[in-house]
């Protein structure tokens, strides 16, 4: 499966911003419909841990959402491929969507519903985030100051892999997936196959700038929806219309009219312009 599309940083960040309305709200109950999405905890234990806790904060790390509860413990949600977190008003005698896997009943007469058609997502409850492998190994945030020329230069001096594969390595930088890695390298004018150790200072600087610009621009447009991604109100993102190279195989490059190429790298589709990206 080459086109595994999953929510990346801008999509998860959009949901995080939507969910800020839940700060200060109490979780009064939780109904687990599919136990499989509870990865490090049984549904019964999850209920004991989070029931009657207030949501004090919701932040994002990479592609994951972190709910900080009033006892300073964490509830984490990784959306996988088809996960959605929707805030909906409670309605009596209305059946949940077939995709609903977990329903958090809230003190504000709303439900926070976790939908997940294919169930690759995961919900965990932990005392410390490092208790979850994903968080323990996660690299720097691309929108943070730590993602800079020095950081990348030091990293690529030790490691030579294709630059697109590097950008998608969550241990290197958190939250960039297939769509944004292709877009960032198009904007930076770099061939996705280029070995990371061969990047020069100018190219590294272009990657830093392009990463921040594209991720911010996508957040502004509430992310990219191809199939399943929705924000917390169930709406689609608008950034798909603004993609310059991803999914444009065989179409003319918007800069030079050369046809966009599609190759497979690390089992994932890469789109690039053979002329603009060197
Ligand atoms: Zn081009």
């Amino acid at each position: 499966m080459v086109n595994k599309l999953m929510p990346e940083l801008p999509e998860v960040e959009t949901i995080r911003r939507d969910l800020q309305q839940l700060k200060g709200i109490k979780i009064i109950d939780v109904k687990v419909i599919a136990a499989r999405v509870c990865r490090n905890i049984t549904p019964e234990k999850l209920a004991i841990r989070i029931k009657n806790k207030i949501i004090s904060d919701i932040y994002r790390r990479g592609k994951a959402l972190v709910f900080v509860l009033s006892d300073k413990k964490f509830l984490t949600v990784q959306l996988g491929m088809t996960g959605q977190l929707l805030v909906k008003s409670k309605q009596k005698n209305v059946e949940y969507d077939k995709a609903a896997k977990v329903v958090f009943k809230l003190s504000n007469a709303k439900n926070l519903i976790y939908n997940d058609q294919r169930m690759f997502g995961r919900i965990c409850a932990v005392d410390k985030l490092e208790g979850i492998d994903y968080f323990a190994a996660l690299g720097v945030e691309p929108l943070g100051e730590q993602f800079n020329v020095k950081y990348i230069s030091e990293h690529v001096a030790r490691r030579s892999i294709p630059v697109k594969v590097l950008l998608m390595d969550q241990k290197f930088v958190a939250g960039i997936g297939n769509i944004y890695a292709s877009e960032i390298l198009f904007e930076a004018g770099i061939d996705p196959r280029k070995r990371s150790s061969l990047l020069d200072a100018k190219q590294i600087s272009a990657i830093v700038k392009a990463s921040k610009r594209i991720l911010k621009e996508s957040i502004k447009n509430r992310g990219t929806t191809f199939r399943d991604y929705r924000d917390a109100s169930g709406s689609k993102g608008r950034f798909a219309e603004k993609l310059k190279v991803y999914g444009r195989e065989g179409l003319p490059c918007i800069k030079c009219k050369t046809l966009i190429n599609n190759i497979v790298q690390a089992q994932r589709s890469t789109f690039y312009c053979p002329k603009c990206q060197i």
Side-chain angles (χ1 to χ4, degrees):
M1 181 69 189
V2 168
N3 280 313
K4 283 184 284 189
L5 291 173
M6 57 193 293
E8 302 179 26
L9 187 153
E11 292 77 44
V12 180
E13 177 62 21
T14 300
I15 296 170
R16 184 198 73 81
R17 292 180 183 192
D18 289 353
L19 294 180
Q20 294 307 301
Q21 58 176 300
L22 303 184
K23 268 162 87 169
I25 302 291
K26 192 190 276 182
I27 301 171
I28 52 175
D29 203 358
V30 57
K31 180 182 159 82
V32 177
I33 298 156
R36 196 180 132 189
V37 299
C38 299
R39 291 302 171 99
N40 74 338
I41 195 162
T42 62
E44 295 74 26
K45 283 188 180 155
L46 177 73
I48 294 167
R49 278 189 86 121
I50 69 172
K51 238 169 136 170
N52 293 317
K53 302 291 185 305
I54 290 166
I55 299 169
S56 14
D57 199 7
I58 303 151
Y59 67 89
R60 179 193 55 73
R61 237 339 235 130
K63 302 176 192 172
L65 286 159
V66 180
F67 291 75
V68 186
L69 303 178
S70 40
D71 59 359
K72 310 259 187 277
K73 294 180 180 174
F74 305 97
L75 171 71
T76 67
V77 180
Q78 290 170 262
L79 299 169
M81 280 169 67
T82 55
Q84 300 171 340
L85 267 177
L86 304 171
V87 180
K88 288 192 173 174
S89 295
K90 276 179 208 165
Q91 287 172 293
K92 273 186 186 159
N93 306 322
V94 171
E95 291 213 6
Y96 300 115
D97 190 309
K98 243 198 239 162
K101 300 296 181 265
V102 181
V103 178
F104 301 92
K105 300 182 179 186
L106 307 173
S107 60
N108 63 348
K110 287 184 177 173
N111 286 328
L112 174 64
I113 301 175
Y114 179 69
N115 281 350
D116 196 346
Q117 201 98 44
R118 299 185 63 182
M119 288 198 276
F120 291 122
R122 50 185 62 192
I123 291 176
C124 301
V126 281
D127 292 353
K128 288 193 164 90
L129 284 187
E130 300 75 45
I132 300 170
D133 290 348
Y134 175 77
F135 293 100
L138 211 52
V140 301
E141 286 289 329
L143 292 176
E145 283 174 16
Q146 285 174 297
F147 188 64
N148 55 34
V149 172
K150 186 169 173 269
Y151 173 77
I152 301 178
S153 306
E154 283 172 2
H155 193 93
V156 298
R158 290 178 271 128
R159 197 168 176 210
S160 192
I161 58 171
V163 60
K164 174 167 179 259
V165 180
L166 177 70
L167 282 180
M168 288 176 63
D169 177 359
Q170 302 302 300
K171 293 174 186 167
F172 169 64
V173 60
I176 298 175
N178 213 31
I179 296 172
Y180 296 103
S182 283
E183 291 296 308
I184 288 165
L185 291 172
F186 177 74
E187 168 106 355
I190 298 167
D191 187 322
R193 297 165 299 179
K194 191 175 183 85
R195 293 259 144 202
S196 54
S197 58
L198 300 177
L199 292 167
D200 62 29
K202 216 174 129 190
Q203 289 174 315
I204 291 174
S205 170
I207 288 175
V208 173
K209 277 189 201 132
S211 301
K212 294 180 197 285
R213 205 194 67 74
I214 286 170
L215 295 171
K216 281 183 191 164
E217 182 71 18
S218 180
I219 293 169
K220 218 191 268 174
N221 284 279
R222 306 187 62 77
T224 303
T225 294
F226 277 103
R227 284 178 20 183
D228 300 282
Y229 160 69
R230 297 290 183 276
D231 66 22
S233 66
S235 303
K236 295 181 179 185
R238 301 184 302 267
F239 198 68
E241 303 153 31
K242 296 181 189 281
L243 295 173
K244 291 179 177 152
V245 69
Y246 186 88
R248 299 195 68 246
E249 180 189 6
L251 294 171
C253 168
I254 58 156
K255 291 183 192 164
C256 76
K257 309 277 185 262
T258 302
L259 300 186
I260 298 298
N261 222 346
N262 177 12
I263 55 169
V264 175
Q265 286 182 294
Q267 287 91 52
R268 309 291 302 275
S269 278
T270 297
F271 299 88
Y272 71 103
C273 171
K275 196 171 168 199
C276 294
Q277 295 178 253
I278 51 168

